[in-house]
Amino acid sequence: MLFRSYADLLLPATSWGEKEGTVTNSERCITRVRAAVTAPGQARHDWQIATAFALALGRELGHSYAERMFGYTTPEQIFNEHRESTRGRDLDITGLSYAMLERDGPQQWPLPEGATAGRKRLYEDGVFPTADGRARFVETKYIEPAEKPNARYPLSLNTGRLRDQWHSMTRTGTVARLFNHVEEPFVSMHKRDMERRGLQDGDIARLVSRRGELVVRVIASDEVRAAQVFMPMHWGGRFMRGGGVNALTVPAIDPQSKQPELKHAAIEVEKLSLPHRVVAMRRFTAGETGGLQALRDELEPLLASFDYATLGLSGRDDTVVVLRGYAANPIDDAVLAALDRLLDLQDPRRTMRYVDARKRIEKAARIENGIVQSVCLAGETAAQEWLKNMMMQGASADAMRSWVLAPVAVPPRGSLNRGAVVCNCFDVAASEIDAVLAGGADLKQLQQRLKCGTECGSCVPELKRMCAVAGSRSQESGFGQSRFAISASRTHTASEIPNSDF
């Protein structure tokens, strides 16, 4: 369960679709909201949890006024109290009420008592909420980064977000399809910096700063300048060994905004040799959410058993939980036994198994009703990608049963390796886009044929780049195949390396 390692008490709260009350957006627009669905189980609204806690604490301390201060029974009562606290301020909403919101719809603040509508623009009269009514400009001076690269730490680490993830992934990290574009942590580097360190695309490396170190996969990128590296901020201890990129970043903050200096940490990157590997996967159908989360909770402590490990998801309707572990020394038998137990691979009557003790290879798979349900590949993991895709799609394994534990990256009856999913809305993979572009299609024709980029539009920048690359290669050789048909573990775009961390 989330935060189980830190919390003494868990208070299940309602989500946005289960809440009653009001919400204010960045346009200063206040909207009345109602629950779309009933809250499950014992979940309660935030205000109910806070009120119950305050009343219980008041009784414990013997303070009778707690009943008067926290005697709320509806969210409207809390809104009315908040409304009064704004009187005379620049965000005055004393003229607003639930009745007005229900009758006239959303309203912008300020809306003081006596007004019939909110103000569309703030400060258009030139009066500001200061003692003399005049605006105050803050004169800021340029301050150099608190930490500069040097001979020992010659690279500048930049952090940012990805297209499909949000902050620390407390919500997006539970949605399998959001891993289909980029499925595991990475650090991207300029190819010349990689060559100097003997690194190849996909290698595992150690990132070292003055404060700590972190192990992660390295990918080559022509969107990162030489002497700079980029790592997404999202992955933390729930998804990778080492706790995430903040093990490396600088604690300095801007004196005015208090924004942490997350884009100027000086680091070095060192190649690691982690030859012993394991990939453990288990499939869940759409309705098995409870079992899926329970498995992730039980797998998470095993991340510490490896020199580097990741724990993530793949899939769309059905979900595959994926643990990848890498170690310098042979993986402990107790860890493999734990994985067998968690993946339900212990029963020899239901489990296919291959063991080569001399080479430290042990592989197992469970197939039920013709579908691969669980796989653990230790020591040799060539088949991981097509097995994962077979599990995600719920494809029949009958025709390839004899190849499930074979050391082949592509099964003999055809490849299931689609590559990164570029368009999550319509589940369109890079390989499918490349196939259309190879025929000379432009962006409009690509969208007409595959529908990619016609829903939310977040993949359009990447589609444009793929079209440009395919076009340039076609001019050079008369025909072309885009180099973007690569695995989800290394696909990223320029839009994923923003100037802001938030």
Side-chain angles (χ1 to χ4, degrees), residues 219-369:
I219 63 172
S221 173
D222 55 8
E223 296 161 353
V224 178
R225 293 180 179 179
Q228 296 184 359
V229 298
F230 168 78
M231 183 173 175
M233 65 183 180
H234 308 290
W235 281 275
R238 295 175 59 226
F239 303 95
M240 67 179 295
R241 188 185 190 279
V245 72
N246 280 348
L248 307 171
T249 52
V250 182
I253 63 172
D254 177 78
Q256 298 294 333
S257 68
K258 312 304 180 186
Q259 170 82 1
E261 192 167 286
L262 299 174
K263 296 183 173 292
H264 296 286
I267 69 167
E268 178 59 291
V269 178
E270 306 166 350
K271 184 175 181 178
L272 283 183
S273 177
L274 303 177
H276 301 278
R277 304 183 174 189
V278 63
V279 177
M281 301 183 286
R282 183 166 178 176
R283 177 177 180 269
F284 291 88
T285 58
E288 297 180 279
T289 55
L292 187 155
Q293 186 57 51
L295 177 62
R296 293 180 71 185
D297 289 342
E298 291 186 276
L299 287 174
E300 184 183 322
L302 292 181
L303 297 178
S305 304
F306 303 92
D307 293 302
Y308 175 59
T310 64
L311 178 59
L313 304 174
S314 288
R316 192 168 181 87
D317 297 321
D318 297 337
T319 300
V320 178
V321 178
V322 184
L323 181 145
R324 294 182 175 90
Y326 307 81
N329 299 311
I331 297 167
D332 195 290
D333 289 339
V335 175
L336 297 180
L339 290 173
D340 274 357
R341 175 180 59 82
L342 294 174
L343 272 59
D344 195 14
L345 294 170
Q346 292 178 310
D347 188 346
R349 297 169 297 179
R350 301 187 303 145
T351 304
M352 301 168 57
R353 190 173 296 274
Y354 171 83
V355 178
D356 185 334
R358 183 177 63 85
K359 294 183 178 180
R360 301 287 302 187
I361 295 174
E362 183 170 349
K363 299 188 282 188
R366 176 168 58 87
I367 301 176
E368 293 182 0
N369 301 318

Side-chain angles (χ1 to χ4, degrees), residues 45-228:
H45 302 308
D46 293 338
W47 68 268
Q48 290 175 323
I49 293 173
T51 296
F53 181 82
L55 293 175
L57 184 61
R59 288 191 294 270
E60 183 71 21
L61 298 176
H63 295 318
S64 59
Y65 55 78
E67 299 287 343
R68 298 192 304 274
M69 293 179 65
F70 297 96
Y72 308 111
T73 58
T74 67
E76 184 177 8
Q77 293 173 332
I78 300 173
F79 174 85
N80 291 340
E81 182 173 314
H82 163 68
R83 178 182 62 191
E84 186 58 32
S85 72
T86 68
R87 186 179 295 276
R89 299 164 61 190
D90 61 334
L91 47 67
D92 192 327
I93 57 170
T94 50
L96 191 60
S97 66
Y98 268 37
M100 184 179 189
L101 291 171
E102 291 167 353
R103 182 184 68 247
D104 301 331
Q107 302 292 322
Q108 285 180 291
W109 63 259
L111 201 161
E113 190 171 20
T116 57
R119 188 181 303 169
K120 294 297 181 184
R121 288 184 176 274
L122 284 179
Y123 315 128
E124 62 183 351
D125 57 359
V127 179
F128 295 83
T130 59
D132 59 5
R134 302 181 67 179
R136 297 284 186 268
F137 288 92
V138 177
E139 181 185 2
T140 60
K141 295 181 180 179
Y142 172 73
I143 301 175
E144 292 187 347
E147 185 168 270
K148 293 183 179 180
N150 60 17
R152 185 174 180 183
Y153 303 102
L155 302 172
S156 293
L157 172 66
N158 177 25
T159 68
R161 67 177 298 265
L162 296 179
R163 188 191 77 185
D164 293 342
Q165 299 293 351
W166 187 251
H167 290 341
S168 58
M169 296 163 63
T170 52
R171 294 187 181 182
T172 56
T174 65
V175 182
R177 71 175 63 184
L178 297 181
F179 287 80
N180 292 342
H181 186 242
V182 178
E183 67 174 327
E184 65 176 348
F186 68 89
V187 62
S188 54
M189 296 180 65
H190 193 280
K191 60 180 66 177
R192 290 205 301 269
D193 291 326
M194 293 177 64
E195 290 170 357
R196 294 189 186 101
R197 292 161 177 80
L199 288 164
Q200 295 184 355
D201 200 28
D203 280 350
I204 306 297
R206 178 188 288 113
L207 280 58
V208 183
S209 76
R210 293 175 174 86
R211 289 153 299 283
E213 62 181 52
L214 187 67
V215 178
V216 70
R217 188 181 303 280
V218 179
I219 63 172
S221 173
D222 55 8
E223 296 161 353
V224 178
R225 293 180 179 179
Q228 296 184 359

